[in-house]
Amino acid sequence: MEDVAARAGVSRALVSLVMRGSPKVGRERREAVLEAARELGYRPNMMARGLAAGRTGIVGVLLADLHDPWCAAVHDGLADEAPRGDVRLLVSTGRGRPARESAALDDLLDLRPDGVVLVGPRVPAADIDRAAAGCPVAVAGRSVRSGRVDCVTGDDAAAVAHAVEQLKALGHRVIACLDVGPRPSSLRRACEAAGLTTVAGADELPASATAVLALGDTTGTAALTALLRAGRRVPEDVSLVVHGDPPGALSAQVTTVAAPAAELGRLAMAALLDRIRDGVSAEPRRVTVPPRLDERATTAPVRR
Amino acid sequence: MEDVAARAGVSRALVSLVMRGSPKVGRERREAVLEAARELGYRPNMMARGLAAGRTGIVGVLLADLHDPWCAAVHDGLADEAPRGDVRLLVSTGRGRPARESAALDDLLDLRPDGVVLVGPRVPAADIDRAAAGCPVAVAGRSVRSGRVDCVTGDDAAAVAHAVEQLKALGHRVIACLDVGPRPSSLRRACEAAGLTTVAGADELPASATAVLALGDTTGTAALTALLRAGRRVPEDVSLVVHGDPPGALSAQVTTVAAPAAELGRLAMAALLDRIRDGVSAEPRRVTVPPRLDERATTAPVRR
DNA sequence: TTGAAAGCGCTAACAT
DNA sequence: ATGTTAGCGCTTTCAA
């Protein structure tokens, strides 16, 4: 910094102001400083800055699983909203394992971020609450009972209900639910409540069903290929709705129903930024995002 | 730190040693310190530590696109290898746009990481080289001409050749290539060299083709559904090979060919850790990972 | 716009 | 195992 100041013929303090983008520096000197910095390849040291300033300008993002396209979509929303707060996003992940996720969360907290967003976390609620004691925390995609974290969630029951409603409107009466792997219990309950017969394998889909609701992105792909391979045309013989944002949903033209993931991200980041500004004191927000059904090429009226 | 020391009845220096996991502290005192830290909710401040120690223990990972399952797979490899170097991974992303990717890279560099891994970067080579001037850099999935970065890449030409070879061995003579969206030119050239007819839309696949090579993960899904929807059975009528790691490839049982992405990650991290140890001086490594063909349910001998 | 001074929380080197 | 002493690169405050 001293070198830059010397080269630009100004004081160290002025360089500091310029690098922080302070408005009260004349354009003449400002440009001289920026030029000198560029020539010298100077970049402010975030560690030192964070230490001195007491804030880092970092928002830590804990993604449950990098392989999950839903997490990526939520991150998009976070990144869209982040510029409003002048923060940079840094991502860490537990790779689907709760234990590693705890460690990853600790790593983030060690950085003293200005705030943390947990995306689809699988860590115990106690861990989340403890984290929230030290810095602002927002959670997307899971409801956490805590007096100090903001939660933004989709409404699984509403999504299932919405899908079933739509399929019934198309005349479908026998609707099967394909549910592979671990799913939030709320989803499972919603399916039961809607009176769906649930199967755990794509090959077990009952022949009598004229419509299928697949839970999850990859499950949807599996269902589609299994149906087609079994010689059942989609949507002529069977309609398919996928809960989630299937990778390639657009190119595959699959009808989907879900809370828009990016919207979850946007709202979570908005809540977090507010909390960063207003201090941890604020009332915790609990936002529920309604599902959206994107009708594409895999749904049609039932054949008579 | 002072509070912890007081509470544990030891010196501040000892607390520092314990928190860094130094081996030369008796188990008695060590546990007293850890206990006191836990009770007080003390966590070492990485900013301060990084500033004082001159190293941060952070390896920055720049992922080209969180939506790309290939990136996720590479990250898995990086994370597998990282513990060997006692570093934590922090991810940033340019969300597919080169300009943002540059900014994301700058954000990472500002943290003064011990090293940086670029996964499938789309930034100009000059940016990469400049970054490498300041700290160890490894690149996965792209070959960069620079005297100081380690590159680990797959061999696209070999992958295409391998797939074609295998399809020919199955008796296929008319092989089409489905290539949607922007692809590395090396891949494109490899396809031409193999004499494939390339089409840009899943619906344009020629009826004469008995085999299809789809470039890219989602492209593969699109190809599969397009074929099935067109009433062409897979693999009875048409064989399908996908270049990449399709999401849900296992459940969809799609035959794939590609350099194992996780392996790329592992090798990139290994190279980076070595470079971190040995200084920037070391000869840059250029590793090429051979493709692997995973024959699953979408390929079969041609029908006579 | 400048200069000086204090300090952020920690590590490292040293002598004890 | 302990104290002590510097100092990492920056921000902040204050007076000039």
Side-chain angles (χ1 to χ4, degrees):
Chain A
M1 205 165 180
E2 196 111 22
D3 296 348
V4 173
R7 176 148 190 141
V10 301
S11 70
R12 239 185 39 140
L14 226 221
V15 175
S16 177
L17 286 178
V18 171
M19 294 319 283
R20 273 177 291 155
S22 162
K24 40 186 182 181
V25 181
R27 89 176 306 89
E28 196 111 341
R29 311 230 178 206
R30 142 169 285 110
E31 290 182 352
V33 168
L34 290 178
E35 162 104 9
R38 216 174 25 70
E39 288 171 355
L40 266 43
Y42 168 80
R43 340 210 58 220
N45 182 324
M46 292 302 296
M47 296 282 161
R49 181 191 297 226
L51 193 55
R55 64 168 296 244
T56 54
I58 291 173
V59 164
V61 178
L62 183 59
L63 295 184
D65 184 0
L66 248 33
H67 292 274
D68 184 348
W70 179 83
C71 285
V74 174
H75 179 274
D76 281 345
L78 296 173
D80 284 341
E81 194 70 15
R84 239 202 44 204
D86 186 35
V87 293
R88 25 188 127 274
L89 266 36
L90 281 180
V91 175
S92 187
T93 174
R95 308 176 64 195
R97 254 90 82 217
R100 293 196 188 183
E101 196 170 301
S102 276
L105 176 56
D106 285 343
D107 288 353
L108 283 181
L109 293 175
D110 286 349
L111 282 180
R112 298 295 190 273
D114 293 347
V116 169
V117 181
L118 273 33
V119 180
R122 303 174 181 15
V123 290
D127 285 18
I128 298 178
D129 194 58
R130 186 154 33 73
C135 85
V137 171
V139 177
R142 171 173 160 194
S143 177
V144 177
R145 202 164 282 316
S146 161
R148 41 193 178 188
V149 321
D150 301 305
C151 293
V152 183
T153 56
D155 187 339
D156 289 336
V160 169
H162 192 28
V164 169
E165 181 186 356
Q166 176 66 11
L167 287 170
K168 288 202 167 152
L170 289 171
H172 295 280
R173 292 296 169 266
V174 184
I175 305 174
C177 175
L178 177 60
D179 182 9
V180 179
R183 288 274 132 198
S185 56
S186 61
L187 238 189
R188 195 159 277 154
R189 278 199 304 274
C191 291
E192 286 170 16
L196 305 185
T197 49
T198 298
V199 298
D203 301 323
E204 302 167 22
L205 289 171
S208 60
T210 65
V212 173
L213 173 63
L215 303 187
D217 307 321
T218 50
T219 306
T221 306
L224 182 55
T225 53
L227 286 170
L228 293 170
R229 192 173 286 141
R232 311 183 65 182
R233 289 166 306 163
V234 177
E236 291 83 354
D237 301 330
V238 184
S239 283
L240 174 67
V241 177
V242 174
H243 177 82
D245 306 272
L250 278 176
S251 61
Q253 290 297 314
V254 173
T255 297
T256 59
V257 64
E263 187 64 17
L264 291 189
R266 241 171 270 126
L267 291 170
M269 182 56 76
L272 186 72
L273 291 178
D274 287 353
R275 181 170 293 271
I276 288 174
R277 282 196 321 121
D278 305 348
V280 192
S281 55
E283 244 337 77
R285 266 190 233 176
R286 334 197 97 255
V287 185
T288 301
V289 182
R292 196 180 62 196
L293 189 139
D294 286 318
E295 186 140 28
R296 292 194 273 259
T298 57
T299 40
V302 70
R303 272 203 314 181
R304 340 206 131 255
Chain B
M1 204 164 180
E2 197 111 24
D3 296 348
V4 174
R7 176 145 191 142
V10 302
S11 68
R12 238 186 39 142
L14 225 219
V15 175
S16 176
L17 286 178
V18 171
M19 295 318 283
R20 274 177 290 156
S22 160
K24 39 187 183 181
V25 182
R27 88 176 307 91
E28 196 111 342
R29 311 233 177 203
R30 140 170 286 108
E31 291 182 354
V33 168
L34 291 177
E35 163 103 7
R38 214 172 29 66
E39 288 171 355
L40 266 43
Y42 168 80
R43 339 210 57 217
N45 182 324
M46 291 302 295
M47 295 283 163
R49 184 192 294 232
L51 194 56
R55 61 168 300 241
T56 54
I58 291 174
V59 163
V61 178
L62 183 59
L63 296 185
D65 184 1
L66 285 182
H67 292 275
D68 184 348
W70 179 82
C71 285
V74 174
H75 179 274
D76 281 345
L78 295 174
D80 284 341
E81 192 72 17
R84 239 203 44 203
D86 185 35
V87 293
R88 24 187 128 275
L89 265 37
L90 281 180
V91 174
S92 188
T93 173
R95 308 176 63 196
R97 254 90 82 216
R100 294 197 188 182
E101 195 170 301
S102 276
L105 177 55
D106 284 344
D107 287 354
L108 284 181
L109 293 176
D110 286 348
L111 282 179
R112 299 294 190 274
D114 293 348
V116 169
V117 181
L118 273 33
V119 180
R122 301 170 178 23
V123 290
D127 286 18
I128 299 178
D129 194 57
R130 186 154 31 75
C135 85
V137 171
V139 177
R142 171 174 160 194
S143 177
V144 176
R145 201 164 281 317
S146 161
R148 40 195 179 187
V149 321
D150 300 306
C151 292
V152 183
T153 55
D155 187 339
D156 289 335
V160 169
H162 192 29
V164 170
E165 180 187 358
Q166 176 66 10
L167 288 170
K168 289 202 166 150
L170 289 171
H172 295 280
R173 291 296 169 265
V174 184
I175 305 174
C177 175
L178 176 62
D179 182 9
V180 179
R183 288 274 135 200
S185 56
S186 61
L187 238 188
R188 195 159 276 154
R189 277 199 305 274
C191 291
E192 287 170 16
L196 305 184
T197 49
T198 299
V199 298
D203 300 323
E204 302 166 22
L205 290 170
S208 60
T210 65
V212 173
L213 173 62
L215 304 187
D217 308 321
T218 50
T219 305
T221 306
L224 182 55
T225 53
L227 286 170
L228 292 170
R229 192 173 287 141
R232 311 184 64 183
R233 290 167 304 165
V234 177
E236 291 83 354
D237 301 329
V238 185
S239 282
L240 174 68
V241 178
V242 174
H243 176 83
D245 305 272
L250 279 176
S251 61
Q253 290 297 314
V254 173
T255 297
T256 58
V257 63
E263 186 65 16
L264 290 189
R266 243 172 268 125
L267 291 170
M269 183 57 76
L272 186 72
L273 291 178
D274 287 352
R275 182 169 293 271
I276 289 175
R277 283 196 319 122
D278 305 348
V280 192
S281 55
E283 243 337 76
R285 264 189 234 177
R286 336 196 96 256
V287 185
T288 301
V289 182
R292 196 179 62 198
L293 190 139
D294 286 317
E295 187 140 28
R296 293 193 272 259
T298 57
T299 39
V302 70
R303 272 202 316 181
R304 337 206 134 254

